[in-house]
Amino acid sequence: MRTKIIILFAIIFALQFNTTYAQGCEDDAGTTATASGVPSTSSSTFFGYIQPEYDTHFTDPSSNTFKFKRARFGVRGRVNRSFSYYVMLETSDFIASDGNVYLMDAFVTFDKHEWTKFSVGSFKQPFGLEVTTACHSLTTIDRSIVSDQLVAPQRDLGLMMLGGTSKTKFRYSVALMNGTGLGLKDNNTKKDFIGRASYKVLDFMTVGGSFRYGYPNNNDKDRKTYGAEVVLTYNALKVQGEYIHDEGDYNRAAEGGCGSVPLELGDTRAGAYVMATYDVSEKFQPVFKYEYFDQDLDIKKIGYQEMMTIGANYFINKNTRLQVNYQNKIETGLSVDNDALLMQLQVKF
């Protein structure tokens, strides 16, 4: 009953206002803007998306299930020319560890100036290309293993300064965050310092980098994370890749991205992926992705995994998409039956 009341109030609240630009689980929202790109008119909207999914795991014994990857509902709006807000709920039982509805994104943004905006509240860590990509815009159903395991917690509470948009060549974001994730009190007096920047160096190439420095458990043991990314586009072909290196302490209570099970990590860990898509038409897009993750660089062949994803995205219309992914998991030692076939239908509104 409590969760139903929360959702009902969110819907009623959304219908009273009109929307703007946000940095949550959405892409850059369309706005009425000045020549500088800064929003200038009041607006608000109720938005969301659901992702029903059917998974088959070719284990021994095999398993299959229907589930919701995500079921998210939110409201974003503008108070005046200087301030906007963004709130989103996650209602999928398969994301929350306790199966309950929870507040995922909730922040206020001062965005009067295009290159010096400030957000305060709970939002994604500004780290990595794949993590900062809107969940409904992901090319594959799952993010890469390295993104889910090393950029954790993916959401946290803090203060962020950012500038630029998807229409500018340069974008940046730096944040001061608790480091413990959502729903948990800060466990020390120090904060995590996180940042990301990207630049379109050529018409067909964008490069970027990310960093994180923090104290995930106490004031004594630190953590350092570095990331590099590149995106190449040539006509209908798009190739993107990312590498993440992580070392030091980590918060074992922090969950992996979107319900993934966190792994035990060594002192140093790293991983990468490369992904290619080709737009055969406006509706059909095949995809290939190769990735690897090493959860302990100091121990050879233990904790190392590779995976290839072969699939396709079919865009029924601008708000409806069908995704099919076959995940071929590669072991360096003894082969295990653990491949998977994932099918997901997404509807945005």
Side-chain angles (χ1 to χ4, degrees):
M1 176 60 72
R2 182 182 177 184
T3 58
K4 291 180 179 179
I5 294 173
I6 293 174
I7 296 172
L8 179 60
F9 271 100
I11 294 173
I12 294 172
F13 184 73
L15 295 177
Q16 297 178 13
F17 300 86
N18 253 315
T19 203
T20 104
Y21 177 87
Q23 299 90 32
C25 206
E26 288 283 281
D27 294 312
D28 292 350
T31 62
T32 302
T34 63
S36 67
V38 179
S40 59
T41 60
S42 298
S43 58
S44 71
T45 192
F46 171 68
F47 68 97
Y49 55 93
I50 59 173
Q51 296 176 331
E53 185 174 322
Y54 178 76
D55 297 350
T56 298
H57 295 271
F58 301 104
T59 53
D60 186 16
S62 63
S63 65
N64 57 73
T65 186
F66 289 99
K67 68 177 186 179
F68 273 101
K69 180 70 172 183
R70 303 174 184 91
R72 297 180 178 175
F73 306 90
V75 56
R76 58 179 184 243
R78 175 160 297 283
V79 179
N80 52 37
R81 188 179 184 276
S82 300
F83 289 93
S84 62
Y85 62 88
Y86 182 104
V87 180
M88 175 170 274
L89 298 174
E90 174 62 81
T91 67
S92 173
D93 290 344
F94 294 88
I95 296 293
S97 59
D98 57 4
N100 290 324
V101 172
Y102 69 96
L103 184 64
M104 189 175 61
D105 293 322
F107 55 88
V108 175
T109 302
F110 173 79
D111 53 6
K112 184 176 181 179
H113 307 291
E114 184 178 15
W115 290 102
T116 314
K117 303 173 187 177
F118 293 91
S119 291
V120 61
S122 64
F123 43 79
K124 283 184 181 179
Q125 289 193 21
F127 189 104
L129 171 61
E130 198 173 33
V131 169
T132 55
T133 299
C135 298
H136 60 69
S137 297
L138 292 172
T139 306
T140 53
I141 294 174
D142 290 340
R143 285 187 172 91
S144 61
I145 305 169
V146 66
S147 295
D148 280 340
Q149 294 297 328
L150 297 189
V151 191
Q154 288 187 357
R155 281 179 165 80
D156 204 350
L157 287 86
L159 172 68
M160 178 165 62
M161 182 175 74
L162 64 160
T165 71
S166 57
K167 297 181 180 179
T168 60
K169 285 190 174 183
F170 177 68
R171 303 185 72 172
Y172 78 92
S173 52
V174 291
L176 201 62
M177 311 192 80
N178 284 342
T180 53
L182 300 181
L184 297 172
K185 291 183 179 180
D186 201 353
N187 54 10
N188 57 60
T189 59
K190 295 185 178 181
K191 297 292 179 283
D192 285 13
F193 188 50
I194 309 162
R196 175 175 178 256
S198 63
Y199 185 74
K200 189 173 184 178
V201 293
L202 299 167
D203 288 341
F204 63 89
M205 176 187 290
T206 300
V207 297
S210 303
F211 69 93
R212 173 178 59 194
Y213 182 76
Y215 291 80
N217 291 302
N218 52 55
N219 292 334
D220 301 320
K221 296 182 179 180
D222 63 358
R223 180 181 192 178
K224 301 175 184 177
T225 315
Y226 310 95
E229 64 192 60
V230 62
V231 179
L232 305 172
T233 56
Y234 181 75
N235 294 331
L237 176 66
K238 178 180 179 180
V239 179
Q240 76 177 55
E242 194 167 359
Y243 172 81
I244 300 175
H245 177 92
D246 186 39
E247 60 186 53
D249 199 14
Y250 68 97
N251 188 346
R252 288 163 178 80
E255 296 182 356
C258 289
S260 61
V261 179
L263 301 174
E264 185 70 21
L265 304 177
D267 291 335
T268 57
R269 46 271 179 183
Y273 72 88
V274 60
M275 179 170 62
T277 61
Y278 189 84
D279 295 333
V280 177
S281 66
E282 291 184 356
K283 290 185 176 293
F284 185 66
Q285 179 190 67
V287 56
F288 173 81
K289 184 177 188 179
Y290 167 79
E291 59 184 288
Y292 80 88
F293 177 64
D294 195 335
Q295 63 193 78
D296 192 338
L297 294 176
D298 297 325
I299 302 178
K300 295 184 180 297
K301 295 185 178 182
I302 298 178
Y304 178 84
Q305 52 185 311
E306 297 177 71
M307 185 168 73
M308 290 189 297
T309 301
I310 301 172
N313 300 319
Y314 184 75
F315 300 88
I316 300 171
N317 55 50
K318 67 177 183 178
N319 292 321
T320 310
R321 177 182 67 175
L322 176 65
Q323 290 181 285
V324 179
N325 289 177
Y326 185 87
Q327 297 177 338
N328 176 221
K329 301 175 183 180
I330 307 166
E331 293 78 28
T332 55
L334 182 65
S335 180
V336 179
D337 293 330
N338 56 3
D339 289 359
L341 176 65
L342 316 180
M343 293 179 285
Q344 181 186 103
L345 180 65
Q346 172 183 282
V347 173
K348 295 192 303 177
F349 51 89

